[in-house]
Amino acid sequence: MRFVEAIHLILQQAPTVVGFVGAGNIFQTFAPPTAAFPFIVVGAQSDEPASPTLSSKDTLRRASVVVDCISTSLADSARIADHVRYDLDKSKGSIMPINNVAMVIQSVIITNDSMTFDLGSDGGENAGVFVCSVNIKIYYVATTPVPVTLTTGL
């Protein structure tokens, strides 16, 4: 999903986030099992038209994205989440994802955040990690859709 890629790229350019976790520790959708702590995972929750029309020609989209800030320390996880909020809130502009088609981001809005403790697969006290999740809404301009005309097959 292009909007996940866009948030991923924005975070890789965010000085306070990169200063804390490094650009190589920001992942899309999932982190490899060998990822060093701390790290960030950007994932999609939803993507929908901002103002749906019957003609399906709307290009303004609203996506929900979660940015998980993961560390072995609650203080570090919370600090990374603070940096994410600071660097993303009210972001806008044009960004060039991998497919070399510019993506116009109208606005990034922080909606809420949450904290959890993941015990890990074995449930041991040393296996757990802290996850501070920052939930955001991103308004972006999508490419103009080209709907398929449905016909009855014979």
Side-chain angles (χ1 to χ4, degrees):
M1 296 183 180
R2 291 185 70 220
F3 59 90
V4 171
E5 182 183 352
I7 295 298
H8 176 254
L9 289 172
I10 292 168
L11 288 173
Q12 285 184 319
Q13 299 171 22
T16 54
V17 171
V18 171
F20 203 85
V21 300
N25 268 4
I26 302 171
F27 304 99
Q28 293 181 52
T29 310
F30 64 91
T34 57
F37 292 102
F39 61 87
I40 292 173
V41 178
V42 180
Q45 291 182 317
S46 67
D47 182 26
E48 60 196 8
S51 57
T53 64
L54 290 176
S55 66
S56 299
K57 298 290 184 183
D58 244 348
T59 58
L60 182 61
R61 309 273 309 167
R62 177 180 50 239
S64 294
V65 177
V66 64
V67 179
D68 290 327
C69 307
I70 303 164
S71 179
T72 55
S73 153
L74 176 59
D76 286 349
S77 183
R79 191 172 299 116
I80 297 165
D82 286 342
H83 292 317
V84 166
R85 281 190 294 274
Y86 177 80
D87 286 341
L88 282 181
D89 197 32
K90 308 296 185 273
S91 294
K92 62 182 175 180
S94 183
I95 193 159
M96 189 69 69
I98 293 172
N99 66 2
N100 290 325
V101 176
M103 181 175 189
V104 177
I105 296 174
Q106 299 268 332
S107 181
V108 175
I109 301 167
I110 307 300
T111 56
N112 65 354
D113 51 43
S114 62
M115 292 184 185
T116 58
F117 180 72
D118 185 347
L119 288 175
S121 60
D122 67 357
E125 65 184 47
N126 295 325
V129 295
F130 293 91
V131 181
C132 288
S133 300
V134 179
N135 296 292
I136 64 173
K137 293 275 188 208
I138 174 175
Y139 289 84
Y140 70 97
V141 178
T143 55
T144 303
V146 182
V148 174
T149 302
L150 302 176
T151 59
T152 304
L154 297 175

